[in-house]
Amino acid sequence: MRTISYGQAINEALAEEMDRDGDVILYGLDVAAWGGIFNITKGLLERFGPERVFDSPISESVMVGAGVGAAIMGLRPVVELQYADFILVAGDEIFLKAGMWRYMHGGAFKVPLVVRLPSGATGAGPEHSTCPEAYVMHSPGLLCAVPSTAADAKALLKEAIRLDNPVMFFEHRRLYQKRDEVPEGDVTLPFGKGVIRREGRHVTVVAWQYMLSRALKAAELLEQEGIEVEIFDPRTLSPFDSGTLIESVKKTGACLVVEEGYRRLGVGAEIGAILMEQAFGYLDRPFRRLAIPDVPMASVKPLVDRVLPSVEAICDVCRELAA
Amino acid sequence: MIQNDRLRDIFAKALLARSFEARLIKLTAEGFLPPLLHPGAGQEVAQIAALSALKRDDPVLYSHRGVAYMIARGTSLSAMIADMAGRAGGTNNGKGGIMHVVDLPNGIYGESGTLGGGLVVSVGMGMALRRRDPGRVVVHFFGDGASNRGTFHEALNWAAVQKLPCIYICENNGWAVSVPTSVSTAVENIADRAAGYGIPGVVVDGADPDAVMAAVANAARRARAGEGPSLIEIKATRLLGHYAADPQDYRADAASVAQRDPLAALRRRVIELGLLDEAEIEAMTAAHEAEIDLAVEAVKAAPPLDADQAFTDLYA
Ligand SMILES: Cc1ncc(C[n+]2csc(CCOP(=O)(O)OP(=O)(O)O)c2C)c(N)n1
């Protein structure tokens, strides 16, 4: 099968969906002539024209708010926020408008909006480096996708654009260049269905995006020590596939969540609570988390590396859990 | 000048809005409705005149100030009471109360409860109308207080750049709850800010339905012709409190403001013009009261909403 990068896969998904449906429009900062600061929307202006692919002012509130307005009137806007951190700049529009416009108006509207959110620690400092998906997972009305491979990025984005609900689509910037096998043609993936990336008997590790690559590395190292790690990639956090996770925990009896968001009330905290409530009897060991300790993300590499969960840290916790 | 039958219609609707709102306030005092209404008394004539300049399928994002927007479009009275009362038969299944009345066939597209939230939503509505349904315009009403949100700047700027079919109507009643506009706002006229976006900004007197209608008609003509958005500031009069039971002890003119009631002025005018006489207005009022009685009875007879409605309408 052909391999393409995660970034190209997103570009293909956008192009195919714009081709398929004339109501799909795309805008954001620098997305038109320049093709996006991460080069993801390259060629789309040339192909679909300035009516459907356009730059917006540096006005994140209206970027997302207009997305809600366009969506309730029948368009399918795809909005690129330059950095995922900026969901907090457009907080009212994301959490109280996109998430709630349908609900508070008694179901009269559909909100088929996708907000693309480049995330992840790349040394760009406290306001341009975070993985803020916990805020989204916390908030009713929003769907949350966290694709980890090029194939998943393409299939989940195509699905997101077709869904009639608002989707916060996190794209991890350290993955943009990563190449994977991606099938040609019209492949979508359902939201709420995770995947076991690696099978094992001793410990279940939940990880996605950049932390998934670290978890996979840790699993390879641990294999040499006879520790078999099972790795669960949830693919979407809202909805969250607790069923597949619980089946895995039934087998392993231990669970570690590795995430690139803040630890306190993070995604891992929620997953831990799900396991306490629904799978307590299957856990032989205390539930564990590795996350960003509760400090902002710094700018320079040594400080960033200090707070990102490392392969070694993942190995250490897995050893404890498998002991 | 507004034609006589149109003026008579604006008056009749404003009269209905006033009576209906008075009944909602009474039902609130009696404990049948929760105290969530922001009375629009004093602002109805301008609200209704503005909407008279548009078509029924021009979508409206309204402000929280009263119910006349819905009356102008013909939304069911009983549905609005049911929304407040939490009874079956409302428009939003108990999710949005009186703040989020929705009536799509009549172009009522709801409201952002966070002030200024509608400004940015309306931009996207304009984008969609231009692409899918050229010729329609979106109108958004908001208060002078809301115009101090940053969303005002973001929305008007981007709507102007894109020349979107949007009409922005700021109802400046001089107050944001207890804060006078002079304390919160650096310019005398909100409409002066239009210059910052290169769009027309006009000030009209909220007691002058001709001026309001003409301004909105002109904005609509521009918008439909692809010339972009306009900002219209209505100098409005808030006759009552921010909410019905507001003691208004912050307000020196609370007692005298009734003398500036635009509906009373319009009443005098329709009589002077010979469009209606006192007896006809009395009969009209009685007919409105009867219509409101029926609506209230219907809601009182309707079952309370099933509490499990809390779980519906979230995802499509
Ligand atoms: C973002 C936000 N801030 C504050 C409020 C609370 N609030 C509701 S109405 C209101 C006053 C609004 O004043 P204005 O916009 O002038 O409209 P008016 O009530 O005078 O019609 C306030 C402060 C809110 N709903 N949303």
Side-chain angles (χ1 to χ4, degrees):
Chain A
M1 202 189 289
R2 67 178 184 141
T3 65
I4 59 172
S5 73
Y6 184 94
Q8 279 172 299
I10 292 168
N11 181 282
E12 274 192 13
L14 292 169
E16 285 176 21
E17 291 310 295
M18 293 190 80
D19 210 22
R20 204 180 59 81
D21 183 347
D23 285 330
V24 179
I25 60 166
L26 184 137
Y27 61 83
L29 307 185
D30 307 297
V31 300
W34 200 23
I37 60 166
F38 305 117
N39 253 331
I40 304 301
T41 54
K42 230 183 183 60
L44 298 177
L45 169 66
E46 292 75 3
R47 189 152 162 209
F48 298 103
E51 304 272 289
R52 295 180 65 196
V53 179
F54 45 95
D55 290 323
S56 63
I58 304 166
S59 298
E60 281 71 16
S61 292
V62 78
M63 286 164 66
V64 178
V68 174
I72 65 172
M73 298 301 285
L75 291 182
R76 293 186 171 272
V78 179
V79 180
E80 178 177 315
L81 291 191
Q82 210 149 51
Y83 292 86
D85 315 66
F86 301 169
I87 60 169
L88 299 171
V89 180
D92 182 40
E93 290 71 28
I94 289 182
F95 299 108
L96 307 183
K97 301 288 99 69
M100 297 183 189
W101 196 268
R102 174 180 170 81
Y103 184 80
M104 66 194 178
H105 295 103
F109 300 98
K110 293 174 179 159
V111 188
L113 166 69
V114 177
V115 183
R116 295 185 34 242
L117 298 163
S119 65
T122 55
E127 307 124 308
H128 297 77
S129 289
T130 60
C131 285
E133 47 262 34
Y135 294 99
V136 175
M137 191 182 188
H138 178 66
S139 302
L142 300 173
L143 304 184
C144 178
V146 285
S148 301
T149 67
D152 280 14
K154 182 171 178 187
L156 286 170
L157 183 54
K158 286 169 72 80
E159 177 77 3
I161 292 171
R162 295 180 199 186
L163 287 173
D164 284 329
N165 294 305
V167 178
M168 299 299 120
F169 194 87
F170 288 88
E171 302 170 2
H172 198 291
R173 284 184 289 145
R174 290 211 204 192
L175 302 181
Y176 275 145
Q177 308 306 325
K178 192 171 163 275
R179 299 180 74 86
D180 275 309
E181 291 192 338
V182 178
E184 311 251 6
D186 191 26
V187 180
T188 60
L189 273 173
F191 275 48
K193 197 82 203 83
V195 58
I196 300 292
R197 294 283 176 199
R198 181 187 173 106
E199 296 203 16
R201 302 181 282 143
H202 298 125
V203 182
T204 301
V205 172
V206 184
W208 57 97
Q209 299 197 315
Y210 185 54
M211 288 299 120
L212 174 64
S213 59
R214 291 199 167 175
L216 286 165
K217 263 189 212 128
E220 270 169 42
L221 296 174
L222 291 165
E223 188 177 23
Q224 295 154 22
E225 302 171 24
I227 297 174
E228 291 179 26
V229 176
E230 176 141 309
I231 296 187
F232 174 60
D233 168 5
R235 282 181 167 147
T236 63
L237 296 177
S238 285
F240 181 77
D241 180 6
S242 46
T244 303
L245 172 63
I246 289 169
E247 284 312 308
S248 173
V249 168
K250 279 184 188 172
K251 185 167 76 174
T252 62
C255 182
L256 162 68
V257 174
V258 188
E259 69 178 298
E260 207 181 307
Y262 301 125
R263 176 183 170 94
R264 191 163 56 216
L265 286 178
V267 176
E270 175 60 21
I271 293 174
I274 290 172
L275 293 178
M276 290 306 117
E277 287 173 344
Q278 298 176 38
F280 184 67
Y282 303 110
L283 283 172
D284 305 323
R285 295 273 191 276
F287 168 78
R288 296 291 299 272
R289 287 178 281 167
L290 284 169
I292 305 297
D294 296 307
V295 293
M297 186 59 72
S299 292
V300 303
K301 191 164 184 304
L303 278 66
V304 172
D305 289 344
R306 176 70 182 79
V307 298
L308 279 185
S310 65
V311 174
E312 296 70 41
I314 298 170
C315 288
D316 287 346
V317 177
C318 286
R319 283 189 198 104
E320 285 173 35
L321 288 174
Chain B
M1 288 285 274
I2 299 179
Q3 289 179 346
N4 284 347
D5 52 348
R6 184 64 71 88
L7 196 65
R8 188 181 180 283
D9 181 58
I10 293 170
F11 173 70
K13 283 177 169 152
L15 197 64
L16 172 59
R18 182 70 60 90
S19 298
F20 182 56
E21 183 171 278
R23 185 72 66 91
L24 296 179
I25 292 169
K26 181 162 173 283
L27 291 167
T28 303
E30 290 167 9
F32 180 64
L33 298 177
L36 296 174
L37 178 76
H38 302 88
Q43 301 187 203
E44 315 96 321
V45 169
Q47 291 164 348
I48 293 167
L51 289 174
S52 311
L54 300 173
K55 299 186 186 148
R56 182 172 300 269
D57 70 349
D58 290 327
V60 184
L61 289 183
Y62 50 88
S63 181
H64 57 276
R65 191 56 55 207
V67 289
Y69 316 99
M70 287 56 128
I71 301 269
R73 285 291 174 89
T75 300
S76 143
L77 302 185
S78 64
M80 284 189 273
I81 306 170
D83 276 338
M84 279 188 92
R87 298 292 174 106
T91 74
N92 56 45
N93 302 330
K95 312 308 197 308
I98 196 67
M99 291 284 284
H100 300 284
V101 172
V102 58
D103 177 10
L104 299 186
N106 287 314
I108 297 292
Y109 274 65
E111 183 189 344
S112 167
T114 44
L115 297 169
L119 287 156
V120 289
V121 172
S122 70
V123 170
M125 293 172 71
M127 284 161 49
L129 287 180
R130 187 176 56 186
R131 182 162 173 79
R132 289 171 58 97
D133 219 349
R136 287 168 74 194
V137 302
V138 53
V139 59
H140 177 41
F141 293 85
F142 54 96
D144 48 287
S147 80
N148 287 329
R149 284 285 321 279
T151 50
F152 175 90
H153 169 67
E154 292 197 9
L156 269 70
N157 178 60
W158 207 25
V161 171
Q162 297 185 76
K163 294 205 181 310
L164 294 178
C166 303
I167 302 176
Y168 293 102
I169 300 183
C170 179
E171 299 179 60
N172 183 352
N173 60 19
W175 296 98
V177 191
S178 69
V179 180
T181 312
S182 58
V183 169
S184 64
T185 307
V187 285
E188 161 112 24
N189 299 314
I190 308 290
D192 294 348
R193 295 178 179 166
Y197 310 109
I199 63 173
V202 295
V203 177
V204 290
D205 176 359
D208 182 350
D210 298 86
V212 172
M213 234 187 116
V216 177
N218 193 41
R221 185 199 50 71
R222 274 178 51 85
R224 293 191 212 283
E227 291 166 27
S230 304
L231 174 60
I232 297 166
E233 176 179 1
I234 294 173
K235 297 290 187 190
T237 304
R238 192 186 93 189
L239 289 179
L240 302 178
H242 177 64
Y243 54 98
D246 179 354
Q248 296 205 83
D249 36 18
Y250 51 82
R251 193 169 171 183
D253 69 343
S256 63
V257 66
Q259 290 156 20
R260 292 190 277 126
D261 181 0
L263 181 57
L266 183 56
R267 181 188 182 113
R268 288 192 294 275
R269 185 164 154 212
V270 294
I271 291 172
E272 274 164 27
L273 287 171
L275 304 181
L276 291 166
D277 61 24
E278 289 287 357
E280 285 167 322
I281 294 174
E282 289 312 312
M284 189 180 262
T285 306
H288 289 162
E289 292 296 337
E291 186 185 346
I292 296 165
D293 286 342
L294 278 181
V296 173
E297 280 162 32
V299 174
K300 287 192 165 166
L305 283 170
D306 179 354
D308 281 348
Q309 284 280 353
F311 301 106
T312 64
D313 299 325
L314 185 55
Y315 297 103

